[in-house]
Amino acid sequence: MAPTQRSRTWVAGSLACLLVLTLGTSALAVPVTPTGPDGSPLTRSGRLVEAGPTAEHGFPAWYRDSNGVRLEACTTLDDPLCATLPDEVPNPDAPVSYPDNFPGEFFYQLAAASVTGDGVDMGVGLDLEGAWANEAVVDGDQMVFGRVRIRDRAIADGHYRVTHPYGADEFDVEGEGINYTEDIGTTPGAFGQALGSRIGPFLTWDPDVAPAAPEGYVGDPAVEHPVIGSPYGTNYVSVERRDESGAWVELARTDLFTIQGRHAVNSGVEADHATYTVGADGTGFVDVYATSDAGQSLAVEDSGLGFVATRMESDGSRYFGRYAIDQSPDGKSVTVANVGDQPVARKEIGLVDVVTISAVTYDADADLLTVSATSSDQDSTPAALTVLDQPVQEGTAVIETTAPPPSVTVTSDKGGEASAPVTVSGAGLEADAPVAVGTATPEVAAPAQRVTLDATSSTGTITGYAWQQVPATGADGEVPVTDANRVELSGADQAVATFNAPQAAGPLAFELVVSGPAGTSAPAVVTVEVTGTDPEGPPAAPQADAGSDQEVRRGAGVTLDGGASTLVDEYAWSQVSGPEISLSGEDTATPRFTFPLMALPTNTSGPNPQYATQADPVVLRLTVTGQGGQQSTDEVVVSPAAETLTITAGEFRSGRQWRVRGTSSFPVGHRVAVVLGGTLTGRTLGFAEVDTLGDWDFRGAGTVAPGGESTVSAVSTMGGSHTGFAFRSR
């Protein structure tokens, strides 16, 4: 059966699509478990299970599903049943080659269905796609992700359920139709992440429906055909709408799909490790370790080391080869080839020496770490070994340290390394002797003022505290403890004790002793001077000091400091103005809060007419209370640091996506909203995260056309904004 024109367009659109990491903005989607005819949930019975070795282009040579179907990457232009699009290759008239003429994206599976009827005009794409993190062909940016895409921009408002081979998704549609993309596996190099996507097992033409799939392929992408492979048995697309009674009513269904995929004939190869051993005479061996599918023909090719291309031995998927050499291997590499692949898969790997650690011991009594290690490179320029930045000389390194690591790694300047755990000997540590350290706040007090004695700065292993008042030393000699100056200590056996100053003026002294398993400390003496006020007059008034004004980044923690206040019994902080905050420790001298991030415009369905930036500082008031209930206040202003936000590039690719980039003067940790138009009150296109270099990059599916607008704007949670940037359309 020939596909409709619409299905051809959907396949091309799937091939041309760019990476989208979030849901479309037009409808909220919720993945759900599909149900059977009786309404009971269906059980998933398969998935993708394995990614093959990477090929020369840096992507897995194949992916395997739980049914044993293994598909390879469709990266060429010369196979109409497994091709990439010509506009994904820099020069479509030349053969595909890596990295100079390689596609920007390609597929292991490309599956699509079009379903129409009763107000439905929907496309569904179910793909396993290879692409590049930043669209450019750069080694290390390779990623493979499973994609579920559902689109029907004209569907009426309502609650819908779309069941497809890999599950079901429910949508609440309000005015913008359905535009949903789910990509799982978008971390460069983490090819196993795609195994956790909803894609899998692979879809193939139903063998019970003629014609049969072309030999070596899952189907013909130019022909619509029923398929098998759904892990739920839902080898169709069904669109249902919930009616007023809450029942689901099917509007449209199809079991016809266009699918592309080629059964893997290549297995690829992974060069896992390559080491060498060479003696003083300059001869030795190279040992090469590799992996591929079982039954492959792997060989280590001639690399100028004195041996010819030689087949490797295998045990299942593991391969090994040992080769005699008569030349120095320093700085050289070997190439492992799977000669059964067409084209031949090759992986080059550098040679490193073998580091052997014979002993790692630590003498806790002598504080000495001893490491014994050797290298397999023993020619005229033997390897130099280091451990913990210290050289290994004549096979041994002795390092003085009071805190060894649990294991050590010995590295060689020839590339090898080895790790081993530390074996410890010696007597156990004893408790540290306690040392008393005490302070008083305030050090000068008015009569009846509360004074705090603090022993928390004491050191050692401490299990007990003891405070007591002792005679003090005044200008005229010793001042004994009498009924006139005696105080009542609260918490005398605690780290923190308090008392109220007596009416009598003069010095007071307090002795602190701390104790623990290692004994009792020498006493420490803390002195407090009581001021000479008239016992009959009013107590001295407190003085509030809220500290210096501050400027901080939004989202940062802020610590206030009212410690310079005097004659204080109680602290009370309160907010006067500015964005709402939550204070922690508002009854202490040093409360904390987090400066709020600036809110962003979030309406993605229309304009944000009420949105406005906010740069007000947070103003806080400190009220201190002293003796007799006297109070004093002071205020502190905490202002948000100014951010410089820029837009450096903007583009709308018709029918494809938005791409807006820029910079922030603050690196990492905040979001940027991209808005259509020259002000921040327009429709929000989407959001981007600022990276560690201060760069941000918004990529949004083309769900919102520019209309009559020619500019975009941006605003950050750090408070910066850039309005009226002219973008280009193409």
Side-chain angles (χ1 to χ4, degrees), residues 9-56:
T9 302
W10 176 253
V11 171
S14 296
L15 282 165
C17 62
L18 295 177
L19 180 62
V20 180
L21 303 182
T22 58
L23 305 182
T25 60
S26 57
L28 178 64
V30 179
V32 297
T33 301
T35 58
D38 61 354
S40 60
L42 299 175
T43 301
R44 188 176 185 119
S45 60
R47 60 185 61 253
L48 299 180
V49 296
E50 185 180 5
T54 56
E56 285 187 315

mmCIF file of all heavy atoms in Angstrom, residues 9-56:
data_model
loop_
_atom_site.group_PDB
_atom_site.id
_atom_site.type_symbol
_atom_site.label_atom_id
_atom_site.label_comp_id
_atom_site.label_asym_id
_atom_site.label_seq_id
_atom_site.Cartn_x
_atom_site.Cartn_y
_atom_site.Cartn_z
ATOM 1 N N THR A 9 5.433 13.264 4.279
ATOM 2 C CA THR A 9 5.868 14.511 4.916
ATOM 3 C C THR A 9 6.272 14.269 6.362
ATOM 4 O O THR A 9 7.255 14.815 6.852
ATOM 5 C CB THR A 9 4.736 15.554 4.854
ATOM 6 O OG1 THR A 9 4.387 15.754 3.491
ATOM 7 C CG2 THR A 9 5.187 16.875 5.463
ATOM 8 N N TRP A 10 5.518 13.416 7.055
ATOM 9 C CA TRP A 10 5.846 13.138 8.466
ATOM 10 C C TRP A 10 7.200 12.445 8.591
ATOM 11 O O TRP A 10 7.997 12.734 9.453
ATOM 12 C CB TRP A 10 4.746 12.285 9.083
ATOM 13 C CG TRP A 10 5.067 11.887 10.483
ATOM 14 C CD1 TRP A 10 5.444 10.674 10.943
ATOM 15 C CD2 TRP A 10 5.085 12.748 11.621
ATOM 16 N NE1 TRP A 10 5.682 10.716 12.271
ATOM 17 C CE2 TRP A 10 5.465 11.967 12.721
ATOM 18 C CE3 TRP A 10 4.799 14.105 11.810
ATOM 19 C CZ2 TRP A 10 5.573 12.490 13.989
ATOM 20 C CZ3 TRP A 10 4.911 14.626 13.081
ATOM 21 C CH2 TRP A 10 5.288 13.825 14.151
ATOM 22 N N VAL A 11 7.475 11.491 7.689
ATOM 23 C CA VAL A 11 8.777 10.832 7.735
ATOM 24 C C VAL A 11 9.892 11.841 7.511
ATOM 25 O O VAL A 11 10.881 11.892 8.228
ATOM 26 C CB VAL A 11 8.845 9.697 6.680
ATOM 27 C CG1 VAL A 11 10.270 9.163 6.582
ATOM 28 C CG2 VAL A 11 7.883 8.582 7.042
ATOM 29 N N ALA A 12 9.726 12.689 6.496
ATOM 30 C CA ALA A 12 10.757 13.698 6.238
ATOM 31 C C ALA A 12 10.906 14.638 7.413
ATOM 32 O O ALA A 12 12.010 15.016 7.790
ATOM 33 C CB ALA A 12 10.412 14.483 4.977
ATOM 34 N N GLY A 13 9.783 15.019 8.001
ATOM 35 C CA GLY A 13 9.854 15.907 9.159
ATOM 36 C C GLY A 13 10.571 15.255 10.315
ATOM 37 O O GLY A 13 11.321 15.887 11.042
ATOM 38 N N SER A 14 10.361 13.936 10.499
ATOM 39 C CA SER A 14 11.065 13.244 11.571
ATOM 40 C C SER A 14 12.551 13.211 11.302
ATOM 41 O O SER A 14 13.377 13.367 12.190
ATOM 42 C CB SER A 14 10.519 11.811 11.706
ATOM 43 O OG SER A 14 9.174 11.822 12.102
ATOM 44 N N LEU A 15 12.924 12.986 10.036
ATOM 45 C CA LEU A 15 14.338 12.972 9.705
ATOM 46 C C LEU A 15 14.985 14.320 9.934
ATOM 47 O O LEU A 15 16.143 14.421 10.320
ATOM 48 C CB LEU A 15 14.515 12.558 8.240
ATOM 49 C CG LEU A 15 14.394 11.058 7.946
ATOM 50 C CD1 LEU A 15 14.220 10.843 6.467
ATOM 51 C CD2 LEU A 15 15.615 10.313 8.453
ATOM 52 N N ALA A 16 14.216 15.384 9.669
ATOM 53 C CA ALA A 16 14.806 16.724 9.733
ATOM 54 C C ALA A 16 14.735 17.346 11.105
ATOM 55 O O ALA A 16 15.306 18.396 11.331
ATOM 56 C CB ALA A 16 14.080 17.639 8.736
ATOM 57 N N CYS A 17 14.044 16.712 12.045
ATOM 58 C CA CYS A 17 13.804 17.369 13.326
ATOM 59 C C CYS A 17 15.099 17.555 14.098
ATOM 60 O O CYS A 17 16.025 16.783 13.971
ATOM 61 C CB CYS A 17 12.819 16.558 14.168
ATOM 62 S SG CYS A 17 13.415 14.922 14.590
ATOM 63 N N LEU A 18 15.123 18.618 14.888
ATOM 64 C CA LEU A 18 16.260 18.897 15.736
ATOM 65 C C LEU A 18 15.956 18.445 17.145
ATOM 66 O O LEU A 18 14.820 18.162 17.495
ATOM 67 C CB LEU A 18 16.585 20.396 15.717
ATOM 68 C CG LEU A 18 17.044 20.928 14.364
ATOM 69 C CD1 LEU A 18 17.251 22.430 14.465
ATOM 70 C CD2 LEU A 18 18.304 20.242 13.906
ATOM 71 N N LEU A 19 16.990 18.398 17.979
ATOM 72 C CA LEU A 19 16.849 17.893 19.326
ATOM 73 C C LEU A 19 15.965 18.787 20.173
ATOM 74 O O LEU A 19 16.178 19.974 20.271
ATOM 75 C CB LEU A 19 18.233 17.803 19.976
ATOM 76 C CG LEU A 19 18.269 17.276 21.403
ATOM 77 C CD1 LEU A 19 17.748 15.855 21.446
ATOM 78 C CD2 LEU A 19 19.681 17.328 21.941
ATOM 79 N N VAL A 20 14.943 18.214 20.774
ATOM 80 C CA VAL A 20 14.060 18.919 21.688
ATOM 81 C C VAL A 20 14.058 18.139 22.988
ATOM 82 O O VAL A 20 13.737 16.958 23.001
ATOM 83 C CB VAL A 20 12.627 19.014 21.130
ATOM 84 C CG1 VAL A 20 11.728 19.746 22.107
ATOM 85 C CG2 VAL A 20 12.630 19.715 19.782
ATOM 86 N N LEU A 21 14.410 18.781 24.095
ATOM 87 C CA LEU A 21 14.570 18.092 25.361
ATOM 88 C C LEU A 21 13.350 18.185 26.256
ATOM 89 O O LEU A 21 13.282 17.523 27.266
ATOM 90 C CB LEU A 21 15.790 18.648 26.112
ATOM 91 C CG LEU A 21 17.111 18.568 25.346
ATOM 92 C CD1 LEU A 21 18.231 19.106 26.210
ATOM 93 C CD2 LEU A 21 17.409 17.145 24.926
ATOM 94 N N THR A 22 12.372 19.039 25.912
ATOM 95 C CA THR A 22 11.225 19.232 26.779
ATOM 96 C C THR A 22 9.949 19.016 26.002
ATOM 97 O O THR A 22 9.924 18.903 24.794
ATOM 98 C CB THR A 22 11.223 20.649 27.368
ATOM 99 O OG1 THR A 22 11.213 21.582 26.290
ATOM 100 C CG2 THR A 22 12.457 20.870 28.215
ATOM 101 N N LEU A 23 8.859 18.977 26.752
ATOM 102 C CA LEU A 23 7.565 18.840 26.118
ATOM 103 C C LEU A 23 7.217 20.078 25.324
ATOM 104 O O LEU A 23 7.648 21.175 25.632
ATOM 105 C CB LEU A 23 6.484 18.628 27.196
ATOM 106 C CG LEU A 23 6.705 17.460 28.167
ATOM 107 C CD1 LEU A 23 5.524 17.389 29.101
ATOM 108 C CD2 LEU A 23 6.894 16.161 27.438
ATOM 109 N N GLY A 24 6.411 19.888 24.260
ATOM 110 C CA GLY A 24 5.865 21.040 23.559
ATOM 111 C C GLY A 24 5.012 21.866 24.494
ATOM 112 O O GLY A 24 4.475 21.370 25.476
ATOM 113 N N THR A 25 4.842 23.130 24.180
ATOM 114 C CA THR A 25 4.164 24.026 25.107
ATOM 115 C C THR A 25 2.655 24.040 24.921
ATOM 116 O O THR A 25 1.963 24.710 25.662
ATOM 117 C CB THR A 25 4.694 25.447 24.916
ATOM 118 O OG1 THR A 25 4.429 25.857 23.563
ATOM 119 C CG2 THR A 25 6.190 25.492 25.170
ATOM 120 N N SER A 26 2.130 23.298 23.937
ATOM 121 C CA SER A 26 0.725 23.478 23.625
ATOM 122 C C SER A 26 -0.200 22.647 24.487
ATOM 123 O O SER A 26 -1.360 22.967 24.623
ATOM 124 C CB SER A 26 0.493 23.137 22.150
ATOM 125 O OG SER A 26 0.923 21.813 21.883
ATOM 126 N N ALA A 27 0.256 21.543 25.058
ATOM 127 C CA ALA A 27 -0.630 20.691 25.844
ATOM 128 C C ALA A 27 0.193 19.937 26.870
ATOM 129 O O ALA A 27 1.293 19.490 26.595
ATOM 130 C CB ALA A 27 -1.376 19.706 24.945
ATOM 131 N N LEU A 28 -0.357 19.786 28.054
ATOM 132 C CA LEU A 28 0.293 19.027 29.102
ATOM 133 C C LEU A 28 0.113 17.544 28.831
ATOM 134 O O LEU A 28 -1.001 17.066 28.657
ATOM 135 C CB LEU A 28 -0.301 19.395 30.459
ATOM 136 C CG LEU A 28 0.266 18.627 31.662
ATOM 137 C CD1 LEU A 28 1.742 18.957 31.838
ATOM 138 C CD2 LEU A 28 -0.515 18.970 32.916
ATOM 139 N N ALA A 29 1.244 16.800 28.778
ATOM 140 C CA ALA A 29 1.203 15.373 28.466
ATOM 141 C C ALA A 29 1.548 14.568 29.707
ATOM 142 O O ALA A 29 2.445 14.931 30.468
ATOM 143 C CB ALA A 29 2.167 15.040 27.344
ATOM 144 N N VAL A 30 0.858 13.446 29.891
ATOM 145 C CA VAL A 30 1.118 12.535 31.000
ATOM 146 C C VAL A 30 1.211 11.121 30.436
ATOM 147 O O VAL A 30 0.205 10.563 29.986
ATOM 148 C CB VAL A 30 0.013 12.596 32.072
ATOM 149 C CG1 VAL A 30 0.316 11.608 33.192
ATOM 150 C CG2 VAL A 30 -0.141 14.006 32.613
ATOM 151 N N PRO A 31 2.419 10.501 30.394
ATOM 152 C CA PRO A 31 2.510 9.110 29.962
ATOM 153 C C PRO A 31 1.774 8.196 30.943
ATOM 154 O O PRO A 31 1.903 8.341 32.163
ATOM 155 C CB PRO A 31 4.021 8.836 29.965
ATOM 156 C CG PRO A 31 4.657 10.186 29.872
ATOM 157 C CD PRO A 31 3.738 11.108 30.621
ATOM 158 N N VAL A 32 0.990 7.263 30.410
ATOM 159 C CA VAL A 32 0.224 6.335 31.229
ATOM 160 C C VAL A 32 0.403 4.938 30.670
ATOM 161 O O VAL A 32 0.852 4.742 29.534
ATOM 162 C CB VAL A 32 -1.279 6.708 31.269
ATOM 163 C CG1 VAL A 32 -1.488 8.058 31.916
ATOM 164 C CG2 VAL A 32 -1.876 6.680 29.870
ATOM 165 N N THR A 33 0.053 3.927 31.457
ATOM 166 C CA THR A 33 0.109 2.543 30.996
ATOM 167 C C THR A 33 -1.103 2.256 30.123
ATOM 168 O O THR A 33 -2.240 2.543 30.526
ATOM 169 C CB THR A 33 0.121 1.581 32.196
ATOM 170 O OG1 THR A 33 1.251 1.880 33.016
ATOM 171 C CG2 THR A 33 0.199 0.133 31.733
ATOM 172 N N PRO A 34 -0.907 1.701 28.921
ATOM 173 C CA PRO A 34 -2.063 1.390 28.078
ATOM 174 C C PRO A 34 -2.911 0.288 28.697
ATOM 175 O O PRO A 34 -2.435 -0.507 29.519
ATOM 176 C CB PRO A 34 -1.420 0.943 26.758
ATOM 177 C CG PRO A 34 -0.046 0.499 27.130
ATOM 178 C CD PRO A 34 0.375 1.347 28.284
ATOM 179 N N THR A 35 -4.172 0.252 28.319
ATOM 180 C CA THR A 35 -5.111 -0.722 28.871
ATOM 181 C C THR A 35 -5.641 -1.623 27.774
ATOM 182 O O THR A 35 -5.663 -1.279 26.588
ATOM 183 C CB THR A 35 -6.278 -0.018 29.565
ATOM 184 O OG1 THR A 35 -6.934 0.848 28.625
ATOM 185 C CG2 THR A 35 -5.791 0.814 30.746
ATOM 186 N N GLY A 36 -6.087 -2.812 28.187
ATOM 187 C CA GLY A 36 -6.686 -3.757 27.263
ATOM 188 C C GLY A 36 -8.154 -3.458 27.034
ATOM 189 O O GLY A 36 -8.718 -2.500 27.588
ATOM 190 N N PRO A 37 -8.822 -4.307 26.231
ATOM 191 C CA PRO A 37 -10.250 -4.094 25.944
ATOM 192 C C PRO A 37 -11.123 -4.062 27.194
ATOM 193 O O PRO A 37 -12.154 -3.389 27.214
ATOM 194 C CB PRO A 37 -10.599 -5.286 25.038
ATOM 195 C CG PRO A 37 -9.293 -5.689 24.427
ATOM 196 C CD PRO A 37 -8.266 -5.444 25.472
ATOM 197 N N ASP A 38 -10.703 -4.779 28.253
ATOM 198 C CA ASP A 38 -11.492 -4.794 29.484
ATOM 199 C C ASP A 38 -11.117 -3.668 30.437
ATOM 200 O O ASP A 38 -11.629 -3.604 31.562
ATOM 201 C CB ASP A 38 -11.328 -6.140 30.187
ATOM 202 C CG ASP A 38 -9.884 -6.413 30.583
ATOM 203 O OD1 ASP A 38 -8.994 -5.615 30.207
ATOM 204 O OD2 ASP A 38 -9.637 -7.432 31.264
ATOM 205 N N GLY A 39 -10.219 -2.787 30.016
ATOM 206 C CA GLY A 39 -9.813 -1.659 30.854
ATOM 207 C C GLY A 39 -8.680 -1.952 31.810
ATOM 208 O O GLY A 39 -8.220 -1.052 32.510
ATOM 209 N N SER A 40 -8.197 -3.194 31.861
ATOM 210 C CA SER A 40 -7.114 -3.532 32.785
ATOM 211 C C SER A 40 -5.774 -3.111 32.194
ATOM 212 O O SER A 40 -5.581 -3.144 30.969
ATOM 213 C CB SER A 40 -7.100 -5.034 33.064
ATOM 214 O OG SER A 40 -6.915 -5.757 31.863
ATOM 215 N N PRO A 41 -4.809 -2.691 33.020
ATOM 216 C CA PRO A 41 -3.513 -2.240 32.499
ATOM 217 C C PRO A 41 -2.743 -3.381 31.850
ATOM 218 O O PRO A 41 -2.778 -4.524 32.320
ATOM 219 C CB PRO A 41 -2.799 -1.703 33.744
ATOM 220 C CG PRO A 41 -3.470 -2.369 34.901
ATOM 221 C CD PRO A 41 -4.890 -2.580 34.494
ATOM 222 N N LEU A 42 -2.031 -3.068 30.767
ATOM 223 C CA LEU A 42 -1.230 -4.054 30.065
ATOM 224 C C LEU A 42 0.175 -4.110 30.660
ATOM 225 O O LEU A 42 0.692 -3.122 31.174
ATOM 226 C CB LEU A 42 -1.147 -3.700 28.577
ATOM 227 C CG LEU A 42 -2.488 -3.661 27.828
ATOM 228 C CD1 LEU A 42 -2.280 -3.174 26.397
ATOM 229 C CD2 LEU A 42 -3.133 -5.042 27.822
ATOM 230 N N THR A 43 0.808 -5.272 30.587
ATOM 231 C CA THR A 43 2.155 -5.467 31.128
ATOM 232 C C THR A 43 3.179 -5.373 30.009
ATOM 233 O O THR A 43 3.035 -6.004 28.959
ATOM 234 C CB THR A 43 2.275 -6.834 31.809
ATOM 235 O OG1 THR A 43 1.309 -6.911 32.868
ATOM 236 C CG2 THR A 43 3.667 -7.032 32.393
ATOM 237 N N ARG A 44 4.208 -4.594 30.233
ATOM 238 C CA ARG A 44 5.274 -4.460 29.232
ATOM 239 C C ARG A 44 6.088 -5.742 29.177
ATOM 240 O O ARG A 44 6.466 -6.301 30.216
ATOM 241 C CB ARG A 44 6.170 -3.271 29.562
ATOM 242 C CG ARG A 44 7.182 -2.975 28.454
ATOM 243 C CD ARG A 44 8.003 -1.736 28.722
ATOM 244 N NE ARG A 44 8.850 -1.463 27.556
ATOM 245 C CZ ARG A 44 8.808 -0.377 26.824
ATOM 246 N NH1 ARG A 44 7.950 0.584 27.134
ATOM 247 N NH2 ARG A 44 9.599 -0.212 25.784
ATOM 248 N N SER A 45 6.432 -6.195 27.957
ATOM 249 C CA SER A 45 7.100 -7.479 27.806
ATOM 250 C C SER A 45 8.381 -7.391 26.986
ATOM 251 O O SER A 45 8.853 -8.410 26.484
ATOM 252 C CB SER A 45 6.154 -8.491 27.138
ATOM 253 O OG SER A 45 5.764 -8.039 25.851
ATOM 254 N N GLY A 46 8.970 -6.235 26.828
ATOM 255 C CA GLY A 46 10.209 -6.139 26.073
ATOM 256 C C GLY A 46 10.723 -4.717 26.030
ATOM 257 O O GLY A 46 10.027 -3.765 26.384
ATOM 258 N N ARG A 47 11.978 -4.559 25.571
ATOM 259 C CA ARG A 47 12.610 -3.251 25.481
ATOM 260 C C ARG A 47 13.938 -3.384 24.764
ATOM 261 O O ARG A 47 14.311 -4.490 24.336
ATOM 262 C CB ARG A 47 12.833 -2.652 26.867
ATOM 263 C CG ARG A 47 13.715 -3.459 27.783
ATOM 264 C CD ARG A 47 13.789 -2.848 29.167
ATOM 265 N NE ARG A 47 12.487 -2.792 29.809
ATOM 266 C CZ ARG A 47 11.792 -1.655 29.985
ATOM 267 N NH1 ARG A 47 12.282 -0.508 29.545
ATOM 268 N NH2 ARG A 47 10.632 -1.665 30.604
ATOM 269 N N LEU A 48 14.672 -2.273 24.609
ATOM 270 C CA LEU A 48 16.044 -2.338 24.148
ATOM 271 C C LEU A 48 16.921 -2.858 25.275
ATOM 272 O O LEU A 48 16.724 -2.502 26.443
ATOM 273 C CB LEU A 48 16.532 -0.953 23.722
ATOM 274 C CG LEU A 48 15.789 -0.270 22.571
ATOM 275 C CD1 LEU A 48 16.413 1.088 22.284
ATOM 276 C CD2 LEU A 48 15.788 -1.128 21.323
ATOM 277 N N VAL A 49 17.899 -3.710 24.945
ATOM 278 C CA VAL A 49 18.680 -4.349 26.006
ATOM 279 C C VAL A 49 20.185 -4.121 25.891
ATOM 280 O O VAL A 49 20.906 -4.326 26.864
ATOM 281 C CB VAL A 49 18.401 -5.869 26.047
ATOM 282 C CG1 VAL A 49 16.954 -6.139 26.409
ATOM 283 C CG2 VAL A 49 18.748 -6.536 24.716
ATOM 284 N N GLU A 50 20.689 -3.715 24.711
ATOM 285 C CA GLU A 50 22.145 -3.640 24.580
ATOM 286 C C GLU A 50 22.533 -2.663 23.478
ATOM 287 O O GLU A 50 21.898 -2.614 22.422
ATOM 288 C CB GLU A 50 22.714 -5.022 24.255
ATOM 289 C CG GLU A 50 24.225 -5.099 24.222
ATOM 290 C CD GLU A 50 24.726 -6.498 23.891
ATOM 291 O OE1 GLU A 50 23.897 -7.385 23.594
ATOM 292 O OE2 GLU A 50 25.951 -6.700 23.937
ATOM 293 N N ALA A 51 23.594 -1.899 23.744
ATOM 294 C CA ALA A 51 24.218 -1.063 22.729
ATOM 295 C C ALA A 51 25.544 -1.692 22.347
ATOM 296 O O ALA A 51 26.306 -2.136 23.213
ATOM 297 C CB ALA A 51 24.440 0.359 23.244
ATOM 298 N N GLY A 52 25.823 -1.749 21.050
ATOM 299 C CA GLY A 52 27.029 -2.403 20.577
ATOM 300 C C GLY A 52 28.271 -1.554 20.762
ATOM 301 O O GLY A 52 28.211 -0.405 21.216
ATOM 302 N N PRO A 53 29.423 -2.113 20.390
ATOM 303 C CA PRO A 53 30.672 -1.328 20.430
ATOM 304 C C PRO A 53 30.557 -0.108 19.533
ATOM 305 O O PRO A 53 29.803 -0.096 18.560
ATOM 306 C CB PRO A 53 31.721 -2.313 19.899
ATOM 307 C CG PRO A 53 31.104 -3.665 20.028
ATOM 308 C CD PRO A 53 29.628 -3.472 19.872
ATOM 309 N N THR A 54 31.300 0.918 19.862
ATOM 310 C CA THR A 54 31.253 2.108 19.020
ATOM 311 C C THR A 54 32.008 1.858 17.722
ATOM 312 O O THR A 54 33.048 1.195 17.698
ATOM 313 C CB THR A 54 31.857 3.323 19.738
ATOM 314 O OG1 THR A 54 33.187 3.012 20.154
ATOM 315 C CG2 THR A 54 31.027 3.704 20.937
ATOM 316 N N ALA A 55 31.454 2.407 16.642
ATOM 317 C CA ALA A 55 32.092 2.323 15.339
ATOM 318 C C ALA A 55 33.073 3.479 15.178
ATOM 319 O O ALA A 55 33.280 4.284 16.096
ATOM 320 C CB ALA A 55 31.030 2.334 14.244
ATOM 321 N N GLU A 56 33.678 3.595 13.973
ATOM 322 C CA GLU A 56 34.672 4.642 13.771
ATOM 323 C C GLU A 56 34.086 6.030 13.954
ATOM 324 O O GLU A 56 34.793 6.971 14.317
ATOM 325 C CB GLU A 56 35.280 4.507 12.367
ATOM 326 C CG GLU A 56 36.267 3.357 12.249
ATOM 327 C CD GLU A 56 36.980 3.361 10.912
ATOM 328 O OE1 GLU A 56 36.297 3.546 9.895
ATOM 329 O OE2 GLU A 56 38.202 3.196 10.896
#
